[in-house]
Amino acid sequence: MTVLTTPSDNELLRLMVAGDESAFVTLYRRRQGGIYRFALQMSGSEAIAEDVTQEVFMVLMGEAKNYDPAKGSLAAYLYGIARNHVLRSLSRDRSFVSIGEGYEEDGETAHKQLIAQDDPLGDLTRIETIESVRQAVTALPTHYREVVILCDLHEMSYAEAAQVLGCAVGTIRSRLHRARALLIEKLRATGDPGAASSIANSARCFA
């Protein structure tokens, strides 16, 4: 009996380096979504997110041999490349950071999921809360925004986030603690105590 196994990222990369085009396609399909969402959440721009995603995989094709698995996961390596490209894009044109831009697809998906429920007023409240949190995250300083996106939205461990950002785990912890406090302040200032409470509960869970 043949047991089918899902190849790891590292195995796909090894096959890709050896010239297996299908391995690259599989790796791209597996990781492209996360990279795109990260770039979108960091920049607020679909254009930047699309460009960054393309750049990340172009770099991977050209510099795959530079990846050292001893230093961390391939996913974190890709996020690190994406982060560098996002920061360069933002430094070139800070007007790209547009709160709420580029979230139409996610918003539409969320709306479709909520519309099936039986509490229309509750649905509106939840949609508004999601948007409030998005706006608050986008408004954070970059070094706080990126730890919230990596650890809370992409559910990375502190160690993985530290690899992406090239800093110590302790730095991730302290930045995330401060970022969550800033988010709570921002959300309370906008009059959305429900969202602020959700962030506070999240902070207690991840502390």
Side-chain angles (χ1 to χ4, degrees):
M1 178 179 177
T2 301
V3 178
L4 299 178
T5 59
T6 302
S8 67
D9 286 353
N10 288 353
E11 176 63 14
L12 289 172
L13 185 64
R14 185 188 66 78
L15 293 172
M16 187 192 93
V17 171
D20 187 336
E21 185 176 334
S22 64
F24 171 78
V25 172
T26 300
L27 188 58
Y28 175 83
R29 288 175 177 169
R30 179 182 296 177
R31 294 299 174 189
Q32 154 300 311
I35 297 299
Y36 177 84
R37 286 191 299 275
F38 169 75
L40 178 60
Q41 290 157 348
M42 280 293 294
S43 67
S45 166
E46 286 185 337
I48 287 180
E50 290 169 359
D51 288 345
V52 166
T53 303
Q54 182 177 4
E55 286 294 328
V56 166
F57 288 95
M58 290 292 289
V59 169
L60 183 64
M61 284 192 291
E63 303 178 12
K65 294 180 180 178
N66 292 341
Y67 165 64
D68 182 358
K71 294 182 178 179
S73 69
L74 180 62
Y77 175 74
L78 295 176
Y79 273 85
I81 298 171
R83 181 223 182 196
N84 291 336
H85 281 281
V86 168
L87 294 181
R88 279 200 288 270
S89 295
L90 295 181
S91 68
R92 284 197 300 266
D93 189 350
R94 295 191 178 278
S95 66
F96 271 120
V97 183
S98 172
I99 294 174
E101 177 191 348
Y103 289 115
E104 290 84 356
E105 183 177 348
D106 287 347
E108 182 180 355
T109 300
H111 179 70
K112 287 179 179 178
Q113 291 172 339
L114 293 173
I115 206 74
Q117 301 174 10
D118 298 323
D119 181 10
L121 289 179
D123 291 348
L124 288 174
T125 300
R126 281 185 286 271
I127 291 171
E128 290 172 359
T129 296
I130 290 169
E131 186 58 30
S132 295
V133 172
R134 284 175 174 163
Q135 291 183 11
V137 170
T138 306
L140 287 173
T142 303
H143 60 294
Y144 291 137
R145 189 189 325 151
E146 57 193 10
V147 292
V148 168
I149 291 171
L150 290 173
C151 294
D152 288 344
L153 303 187
H154 291 252
E155 300 183 339
M156 281 193 177
S157 67
Y158 293 150
E160 288 176 315
Q163 182 196 349
V164 173
L165 304 182
C167 62
V169 170
T171 301
I172 297 296
R173 289 181 182 275
S174 61
R175 285 183 186 175
L176 191 57
H177 178 78
R178 178 57 181 153
R180 287 170 175 157
L182 287 173
L183 278 178
I184 292 169
E185 291 174 11
K186 289 178 182 294
L187 291 168
R188 283 176 177 162
T190 63
D192 195 339
S197 177
S198 297
I199 297 295
N201 290 335
S202 174
R204 285 192 287 271
C205 290
F206 286 93

